[in-house]
Amino acid sequence: MKRIKQQVETYLNTTEECKLLAELILQKETKAKVLLCLVANRRSPHEMALILFEKAKEEYDTAIRIMSFRLLKKDDFGLKIVSELQFDLFFKENTALFSFESTSVSTMWSVINALTNAVKVVNTHVAPNQEDTDFDFDTYTWAEFYTKYTEPDQNLEKETSKAEQRMMISDNDKKQDQTSDFRTSVAIKEDWIAKQLQNKEDQFTEKRPLTFVIGTWNVNSKIPNHLVSSWLRINEDEAADVYAVGLQEIDMTAGALLTQETKISDQWTKIITDTVNSCTSHKYVCLLSKQLVGIYLIVFIKEEHLEHVQDLKSHIEGVGIMGMLGNKGAITCQFKLYSSTVCLVTSHLAAHTGGTSKRNQNFADLSQRCHIDDDESIDFIFWFGDLNYRLTLSDADTRQAICDNQISHLLAHDQLVIEKKNNRVFVGYEEGTITFMPSYKFDAGTNIYDTSEKKRTPSYTDRILWKDVHKVGGIQQLYYSMHNTFMISDHKPIVSCFKVPIKIIVQDKYKQLYRELIKMLDKLENDMLPEIQLSTQMLQFDTVEYNSPKVCEMTLENTGQVVCEFIFVPKPGEDYPHKPWIKIEPIGGIIMPHESMVIKVTLKVDSHMAHQLMDQPDLDDILILHLKQGRDHFITVTGKYQVSVYGIALDQQVPECLWRLVDWLYRYGIKEADLFQEAGITEQVHQIRRQLDHHLPFDDNVSVHSVAEAFVGFLESLYDPLIPHRYYRMSIETSSNAGACVHLITKLPKAHFDTFHYVMAFLREVLKHSNENHSSIDTLAIIFSRVILRPPLNYPQLQANSNDLRAKALFVKHFMTQSHHWTREELVQE
Amino acid sequence: MSGAHEYIFKYIIIGDMGVGKSCLLHQFTDQKFMTDCPHTIGVEFGTRVIEIANKHIKLQIWDTAGQERFRAVTRSYYRGAAGALMVYDITRRQTFHHLASWLTDARNLTNPHTIIMLIGNKLDLAEQREVSFEEASRFAQENGLIYMETSAKTGENVERSFIETATKIYQNIESGVLDPNSVESGIQVTTTLIEPAREQQQSGCSC
Ligand SMILES: Nc1nc2c(ncn2[C@@H]2O[C@H](COP(=O)(O)OP(=O)(O)OP(=O)(O)O)[C@@H](O)[C@H]2O)c(=O)[nH]1
Ligand SMILES: [Mg+2]
């Protein structure tokens, strides 16, 4: 077996756990020896599957092969014990049935045990809410591996395609705005409505007392040959709304033990159906009738209520032999009647006077396994049956007390009363006052307590208890009694009648409240939209001059009730939220309610943009100010660029303004100390630009340094630099070779060539006066190479490093040392 | 018990400035009329949950600026609208003339199943009417639009127009013409956890 286990494990992934491995014989078709393997996904243990391995026919061949693979899905899978060594596995959804035979009882026991556990794990797994299934997409994907080895399993396909579908939807969701928050926000709202409805339940519900008649009887395998109306007190005047009858020991044969359901239950169903439907003018409908070996439960409801029954559920659990067979156990019938949930439980617990703790344990196990404890929806529980608790008085004292009609004396020694008082069983349950004699044990056919050799002590084995789970109050027990007239069994039947306050929703009131809540939410939601007040929606800049930033401020005030997160967003199809000549600070932020924030919008036209704006000087834009989860504001920006010669493209000849600047500097500034090294006065620089644009003379008192700065600034503003962008790279590369540099210059367009030489000649002039103006060839080369040789915009930044700076300066230096004034033609000839 | 489906429909309101788009939105969401409603400079936003065929549907409404200069920007909000309310002012013929251009935008920028409703607003000023009901009806018919006259002031027909549009969208979903899961549909689907107490269905068995 150990070797086989290793073999199986080679098929399994590390995320899969082998919970069971058993060698069995597959009945019917082949009688083949197979290995039944139960695997679970370690990551989500409710995902389980059965793998059936086939072993090779030849003894010497030890190979195994996957023969069948089945996912264990919720409520789809069940187990039936056929005999001590045989069991059936069945799958409801596709009605598959496997019959297995085991060679040993212990194997059978471990298989049954593991499979029953599996059924429980799978069936009780609660799928997480749809809202947060995101992590659940890979449901059963681990299983795909196995299906490749077996015939296509339709169920599995269905499962995956569903997952795929969900995946697709979720992809779509991602594309939609706001959707990520959307599902959670819907869930939060639904939650809120549900809570409100719960709190205001009184406003739309009323309690209607419905009558429940509950009977229990251990029939000792007997069947009456008449109706049982007198036991259940069925008559026109006392017609109940619900009848629930629990019986014990209807069939105690070995066959019943194995199959759980036998023909006898049909006979009982007929008797009780006839009883409830023949004694009154009302029609009763059977909600459920089930058998677990000797235990039987049948529930009827008045037809008029049937349409208000929902969520009918039933659990059947055995706690008998091996802790699971049905000779002892319980059947439950749970349903929602109007808006209250009722759970009816009948059980037969462990026998014998000494079995008290076993009975307590039975009760605890059944409560848990039938999900009576953990189901919060249950409002009322009625638990009835042969609970088998005994009287601890001696037989003689008991019989004497019975003769003396000392019921309270008897009850003081009743195990159930004692255990319950000590909170060892039926905690929270109530039982009505017992006014009848013990229901057990009689000589059959008489009303005489056991006279046989065993002489069982009379006891209150048959009981009816209830629990008002949410303590709403109002359950009324009308009677609790025993019927002596039924003598076929050694137990007497017990009956009790209750008025149960069932909650009923008044539809009109409910709908009205629901609508009001929706309306409230709507209002809340609209009130919770972020809101801001803008100090202006129009930013007017009038004229904007070259390289002179202009600022407009605007105040955003959060006038809403919530924190407002804002951001300027690009218009569709655009990459930036604004045109290149606009700067917004900050571009996004968070404003608390009642607080304000100032947004600074700056317009600045620099050398990069000046040229484009020459023909179309309108500085217009619409900014979109987006509030997260809210509205958008449009902010209009208007302005006009004051077109200037700065930013022009060299076209025919040396531009006039350059002329003027050089001429002025030559005349008045060539001997100025620190020429080109001291900064000018910004306002004067602007003024010079205006005077150039309008062909006006410069001011008399203008500083040389301002003119020098205007000169450098003009060279810098040229749309295409003196050495055009396309020669930039080549200039850097040839900078160390004077001849190559000179050659490169010959290729320049005429206007660039002329202007370049004009500027160089001037700089050579400047250097002649370096004694006065402190200039040196190195500093001038650095200052002017920076504006004459500008890298194109798309030039890799990494390369514009200090090597480039040095190379640029070197390039320019060749021309600053040449004293010869070449013409283009001369150069070309050379 | 499977949960009810909730949908969210995206609406846009378009039309010339001053025709009453914002007033229609406020009347629908707050049941209030604003006499001095400032021009919308941007895109406003409001929601309301309505009930159609026992289903709760949330309308998410985008009210756009009508001014011509914002036209290029507001166009970007049309995408993914399930419904478009195209509004003109019955007392200003100009606004009616401009419908053709609004309609072109709406048709070009939304999906083929977007329900477009024509709304003639300011019905309370019927005595100053410059566009007759018949003329507008004809225009609506020729262009396959639903048509209604409303007053954002009195509230007349306001709710009806929003709901009628939603009903049409819902019918398109039910009949399979419109796939609510597609991105362009302007619809978001979710499963809600609760629903109004149903007329309870029987789930008992008869034996
Ligand atoms: N009498 C009357 N006046 C209305 C009606 N609807 C709107 N108004 C008025 O018309 C003016 C413009 O209304 P708005 O709702 O702001 O118009 P709009 O279509 O949103 O305009 P923009 O936002 O500029 O596109 C406001 O002064 C309103 O009071 C109406 O049904 N009847
Ligand atoms: Mg508006």
Side-chain angles (χ1 to χ4, degrees):
Chain A
M1 200 66 191
K2 201 171 168 196
R3 204 194 61 239
I4 291 173
K5 190 156 187 198
Q6 279 167 359
Q7 267 181 313
V8 167
E9 269 162 5
T10 60
Y11 279 93
L12 300 184
N13 203 311
T14 48
T15 57
E16 294 149 20
E17 185 184 7
C18 176
K19 297 218 147 196
L20 164 80
L21 193 61
E23 203 174 87
L24 296 165
I25 298 161
L26 192 58
Q27 276 198 317
K28 287 180 186 144
E29 305 120 57
T30 52
K31 286 262 177 200
K33 271 196 178 171
V34 293
L35 283 170
L36 181 68
C37 173
L38 175 67
V39 290
N41 182 359
R42 283 185 211 269
R43 292 205 195 110
S44 48
H46 69 279
E47 294 184 9
M48 292 204 248
L50 285 174
I51 308 176
L52 222 51
F53 290 98
E54 189 178 33
K55 295 178 77 181
K57 296 237 163 45
E58 289 79 11
E59 273 301 309
Y60 56 85
D61 190 350
T62 55
I64 56 170
R65 189 179 70 82
I66 295 181
M67 180 181 168
S68 183
F69 174 86
R70 296 247 160 216
L71 285 174
L72 300 189
K73 284 188 295 178
K74 198 167 177 147
D75 299 324
D76 176 46
F77 152 75
L79 180 72
K80 192 162 186 173
I81 304 168
V82 180
S83 77
E84 239 178 13
L85 290 172
Q86 286 178 10
F87 70 98
D88 289 348
L89 261 180
F90 56 90
F91 294 86
K92 266 188 242 157
E93 202 171 291
N94 45 15
T95 59
L97 184 83
F98 295 93
S99 294
F100 292 102
E101 204 178 303
S102 169
T103 47
S104 84
V105 179
S106 67
T107 306
M108 169 90 176
W109 161 237
S110 64
V111 170
I112 301 291
N113 201 18
L115 293 182
T116 348
N117 275 335
V119 176
K120 239 163 257 173
V121 171
V122 171
N123 285 354
T124 55
H125 172 73
V126 183
N129 284 341
Q130 291 236 323
E131 276 67 27
D132 47 37
T133 40
D134 299 28
F135 64 90
D136 212 22
F137 281 149
D138 60 347
T139 309
Y140 294 114
T141 43
W142 59 279
E144 275 164 26
F145 167 81
Y146 298 101
T147 47
K148 286 189 206 136
Y149 284 86
T150 54
E151 69 280 343
D153 185 331
Q154 284 186 334
N155 299 321
L156 190 71
E157 274 168 22
K158 233 189 279 163
E159 198 69 35
T160 30
S161 72
K162 220 191 278 164
E164 273 164 18
Q165 251 174 26
R166 267 191 306 199
M167 197 100 83
M168 273 164 53
I169 293 172
S170 83
D171 273 354
N172 286 347
D173 287 350
K174 273 174 215 143
K175 287 174 208 144
Q176 290 187 1
D177 287 354
Q178 299 179 333
T179 306
S180 49
D181 307 326
F182 156 69
R183 276 171 202 280
T184 40
S185 88
V186 169
I188 290 166
K189 276 175 224 151
E190 293 293 344
D191 213 40
W192 183 83
I193 293 182
K195 287 223 175 71
Q196 294 293 316
L197 285 172
Q198 214 171 22
N199 291 344
K200 296 179 180 171
E201 203 178 61
D202 296 346
Q203 292 180 19
F204 60 87
T205 55
E206 57 187 35
K207 302 252 169 72
R208 191 188 299 172
L210 295 187
T211 315
F212 282 57
V213 167
I214 289 167
T216 180
W217 189 12
N218 182 325
V219 297
N220 194 22
S221 306
K222 303 293 189 313
I223 289 198
N225 53 8
H226 52 79
L227 299 185
V228 290
S229 40
S230 64
W231 164 31
L232 300 173
R233 285 220 220 169
I234 304 184
N235 57 64
E236 188 63 38
D237 296 337
E238 294 180 274
D241 296 293
V242 175
Y243 286 100
V245 176
L247 302 176
Q248 299 82 37
E249 297 193 14
I250 64 166
D251 188 346
M252 296 310 278
T253 59
L257 193 58
L258 291 166
T259 58
Q260 302 185 357
E261 289 190 32
T262 60
K263 291 246 159 59
I264 293 181
S265 64
D266 296 342
Q267 297 176 37
W268 275 106
T269 303
K270 183 168 182 340
I271 290 172
I272 297 169
T273 308
D274 288 350
T275 304
V276 295
N277 272 326
S278 63
C279 304
T280 72
S281 59
H282 299 281
K283 178 151 171 34
Y284 288 89
V285 181
C286 178
L287 276 187
L288 168 136
S289 78
K290 288 214 161 145
Q291 179 188 2
L292 170 67
V293 191
I295 307 166
Y296 172 85
L297 176 66
I298 187 163
V299 178
F300 285 91
I301 189 152
K302 223 186 234 174
E303 196 180 27
E304 62 182 83
H305 301 305
L306 187 63
E307 57 174 333
H308 302 291
V309 173
Q310 270 181 295
D311 304 342
L312 181 66
K313 272 189 247 184
S314 173
H315 291 280
I316 298 184
E317 289 292 336
V319 287
I321 300 167
M322 300 201 298
M324 57 182 293
L325 288 192
N327 55 327
K328 293 289 183 293
I331 303 174
T332 73
C333 172
Q334 182 181 327
F335 54 95
K336 190 168 169 187
L337 179 55
Y338 294 92
S339 293
S340 296
T341 298
V342 180
C343 183
L344 303 164
V345 189
T346 192
S347 72
H348 193 183
L349 307 185
H352 307 304
T353 311
T356 304
S357 57
K358 212 165 179 187
R359 285 186 278 277
N360 292 354
Q361 188 58 46
N362 285 167
F363 169 81
D365 289 348
L366 290 170
S367 294
Q368 192 215 341
R369 287 209 234 151
C370 294
H371 300 286
I372 297 168
D373 285 345
D374 55 17
D375 187 342
E376 289 209 348
S377 68
I378 298 176
D379 295 299
F380 307 112
I381 305 166
F382 293 92
W383 192 308
F384 44 100
D386 181 353
L387 309 183
N388 251 329
Y389 287 93
R390 308 301 170 99
L391 292 175
T392 51
L393 283 172
S394 71
D395 186 54
D397 287 353
T398 305
R399 289 176 194 252
Q400 187 56 49
I402 290 171
C403 279
D404 299 346
N405 204 12
Q406 287 183 315
I407 293 176
S408 55
H409 180 60
L410 290 172
L411 288 171
H413 298 88
D414 174 69
Q415 288 173 332
L416 178 56
V417 169
I418 294 163
E419 292 304 296
K420 198 169 131 24
K421 200 180 277 167
N422 291 309
N423 287 330
R424 286 194 285 263
V425 78
F426 281 103
V427 176
Y429 283 75
E430 294 171 64
E431 189 184 19
T433 315
I434 292 178
T435 54
F436 48 86
M437 290 299 164
S439 56
Y440 170 83
K441 171 181 185 169
F442 294 91
D443 289 340
T446 72
N447 280 333
I448 300 164
Y449 286 102
D450 190 13
T451 55
S452 72
E453 258 171 46
K454 284 187 187 163
K455 258 206 157 200
R456 301 269 194 216
T457 307
S459 285
Y460 290 105
T461 51
D462 308 283
R463 312 286 273 265
I464 299 174
L465 295 92
W466 74 91
K467 184 173 179 179
D468 174 1
V469 181
H470 298 118
K471 305 207 165 40
V472 293
I475 292 193
Q476 239 185 310
Q477 188 175 39
L478 301 187
Y479 52 79
Y480 186 21
S481 51
M482 182 176 90
H483 279 267
N484 277 329
T485 50
F486 293 83
M487 291 191 261
I488 50 174
S489 166
D490 54 352
H491 289 250
K492 299 292 175 199
I494 302 288
V495 68
S496 182
C497 176
F498 298 91
K499 285 271 182 215
V500 184
I502 296 294
K503 214 159 49 193
I504 292 177
I505 289 180
V506 185
Q507 285 294 334
D508 288 351
K509 287 190 191 168
Y510 178 89
K511 277 196 175 139
Q512 195 192 334
L513 183 68
Y514 194 90
R515 279 200 192 108
E516 277 167 18
L517 289 174
I518 294 260
K519 216 166 168 181
M520 252 167 88
L521 260 188
D522 265 359
K523 188 166 160 23
L524 209 69
E525 194 166 325
N526 284 322
D527 287 349
M528 286 304 158
L529 287 175
E531 222 171 286
I532 55 168
Q533 181 114 43
L534 300 174
S535 58
T536 175
Q537 300 218 265
M538 185 87 111
L539 299 174
Q540 281 170 315
F541 284 88
D542 299 324
T543 55
V544 177
E545 291 184 317
Y546 177 80
N547 228 357
S548 329
K550 219 173 189 184
V551 179
C552 270
E553 285 186 344
M554 123 180 110
T555 310
L556 310 187
E557 188 191 348
N558 184 343
T559 50
Q561 302 175 24
V562 290
V563 175
C564 171
E565 197 177 340
F566 71 91
I567 184 161
F568 286 88
V569 294
K571 288 179 277 299
E574 295 184 10
D575 295 332
Y576 298 99
H578 51 74
K579 296 269 166 60
W581 29 264
I582 297 184
K583 200 164 97 190
I584 304 174
E585 288 170 303
I587 193 108
I590 289 176
I591 311 175
M592 297 293 145
H594 312 301
E595 287 186 4
S596 302
M597 190 181 279
V598 174
I599 305 285
K600 221 168 92 180
V601 179
T602 309
L603 254 60
K604 182 181 169 201
V605 179
D606 62 18
S607 58
H608 296 301
M609 303 157 235
H611 186 74
Q612 283 122 296
L613 288 168
M614 281 181 176
D615 300 329
Q616 186 46 268
D618 291 330
L619 300 174
D620 292 341
D621 199 4
I622 294 173
L623 307 176
I624 304 179
L625 175 62
H626 173 67
L627 308 187
K628 255 200 169 151
Q629 322 266 351
R631 59 165 296 173
D632 289 0
H633 288 272
F634 296 161
I635 294 149
T636 310
V637 174
T638 60
K640 200 155 196 97
Y641 172 56
Q642 183 70 55
V643 177
S644 164
V645 290
Y646 278 59
I648 57 163
L650 289 180
D651 146 33
Q652 295 293 322
Q653 58 218 7
V654 180
E656 184 215 316
C657 61
L658 196 67
W659 240 86
R660 280 188 63 189
L661 288 164
V662 168
D663 183 57
W664 193 97
L665 284 172
Y666 188 74
R667 263 190 240 204
Y668 309 110
I670 200 124
K671 293 178 181 165
E672 182 81 13
D674 298 329
L675 180 65
F676 294 120
Q677 290 175 60
E678 196 170 300
I681 300 159
T682 309
E683 190 31 55
Q684 288 187 0
V685 177
H686 286 310
Q687 184 62 13
I688 292 163
R689 194 194 63 243
R690 282 177 213 123
Q691 286 157 343
L692 289 170
D693 285 339
H694 297 104
H695 311 283
L696 299 172
F698 299 156
D699 295 341
D700 292 340
N701 56 353
V702 68
S703 139
V704 173
H705 300 299
S706 298
V707 181
E709 192 175 317
F711 172 58
V712 176
F714 177 78
L715 291 175
E716 189 176 7
S717 81
L718 289 177
Y719 178 57
D720 206 5
L722 269 190
I723 309 292
H725 288 313
R726 62 182 183 282
Y727 294 110
Y728 179 78
R729 192 194 180 95
M730 214 191 295
S731 329
I732 298 288
E733 284 165 3
T734 60
S735 58
S736 55
N737 180 338
C741 291
V742 172
H743 181 71
L744 188 147
I745 291 300
T746 63
K747 298 202 166 135
L748 300 190
K750 186 172 179 322
H752 286 260
F753 179 89
D754 291 348
T755 313
F756 179 75
H757 273 290
Y758 180 62
V759 171
M760 286 303 135
F762 170 62
L763 292 182
R764 287 195 297 269
E765 254 346 276
V766 171
L767 282 172
K768 284 182 187 160
H769 301 275
S770 52
N771 280 344
E772 290 102 328
N773 62 29
H774 307 152
S775 64
S776 73
I777 185 163
D778 286 322
T779 36
L780 288 189
I782 288 172
I783 292 167
F784 282 89
S785 65
R786 192 182 63 81
V787 297
I788 289 172
L789 271 165
R790 298 203 307 269
L793 275 180
N794 56 358
Y795 194 75
Q797 282 300 307
L798 260 181
Q799 296 186 21
N801 54 20
S802 57
N803 286 337
D804 271 21
L805 293 183
R806 219 171 297 133
K808 280 199 250 187
L810 193 58
F811 182 95
V812 180
K813 252 156 102 176
H814 297 308
F815 301 92
M816 300 206 313
T817 50
Q818 309 272 2
S819 53
H820 196 299
H821 183 200
W822 287 313
T823 64
R824 190 180 163 85
E825 286 68 31
E826 283 169 341
L827 269 175
V828 173
Q829 277 163 20
E830 240 181 49
Chain B
M1 188 163 58
S2 68
H5 274 91
E6 182 173 302
Y7 293 105
I8 296 190
F9 293 172
K10 176 182 168 180
Y11 274 29
I12 48 165
I13 314 182
I14 55 174
D16 276 10
M17 65 185 239
V19 295
K21 297 183 294 296
S22 301
C23 288
L24 284 167
L25 172 64
H26 283 286
Q27 181 62 254
F28 182 64
T29 56
D30 301 343
Q31 285 83 46
K32 276 191 201 113
F33 175 67
M34 315 205 339
T35 337
D36 281 316
C37 189
H39 280 303
T40 308
I41 304 193
V43 175
E44 268 187 78
F45 181 74
T47 65
R48 184 175 152 188
V49 177
I50 58 167
E51 220 179 298
I52 288 175
N54 267 327
K55 293 236 158 59
H56 287 101
I57 292 171
K58 179 164 167 177
L59 302 185
Q60 193 179 72
I61 307 149
W62 297 86
D63 162 36
T64 61
Q67 290 177 50
E68 184 60 34
R69 65 197 172 103
F70 296 124
R71 194 75 177 263
V73 186
T74 49
R75 279 194 186 109
S76 63
Y77 293 84
Y78 288 40
R79 188 173 168 269
L85 306 186
M86 189 169 71
V87 190
Y88 71 95
D89 177 350
I90 63 164
T91 69
R92 280 192 295 145
R93 199 161 175 81
Q94 270 304 326
T95 65
F96 181 72
H97 284 318
H98 291 156
L99 287 176
S101 116
W102 288 109
L103 185 61
T104 311
D105 273 3
R107 285 265 153 81
N108 289 344
L109 300 165
T110 62
N111 76 67
H113 300 299
T114 300
I115 300 293
I116 304 176
M117 172 162 225
L118 178 63
I119 290 181
N121 189 37
K122 309 202 185 175
L123 184 55
D124 56 297
L125 303 177
E127 70 277 8
Q128 297 164 39
R129 182 192 279 279
E130 290 183 3
V131 182
S132 74
F133 183 85
E134 291 70 29
E135 186 179 4
S137 293
R138 211 175 316 122
F139 176 83
Q141 211 163 23
E142 283 163 6
N143 291 286
L145 313 171
I146 333 170
Y147 171 55
M148 212 175 263
E149 288 191 342
T150 62
S151 167
K153 188 170 182 177
T154 64
E156 188 174 352
N157 281 345
V158 173
E159 191 150 324
R160 255 185 74 192
S161 60
F162 280 84
I163 289 174
E164 181 124 346
T165 308
T167 310
K168 281 272 182 325
I169 298 167
Y170 186 72
Q171 282 167 358
N172 275 350
I173 297 173
E174 290 288 281
S175 64
V177 173
L178 188 61
D179 172 14
N181 290 320
S182 96
V183 180
E184 299 292 329
S185 68
I187 293 163
Q188 296 177 353
V189 193
T190 184
T191 308
T192 59
L193 304 174
I194 48 165
E195 55 184 314
R198 303 176 293 168
E199 313 309 327
Q200 265 123 353
Q201 281 142 27
Q202 70 123 27
S203 53
C205 68
S206 191
C207 46

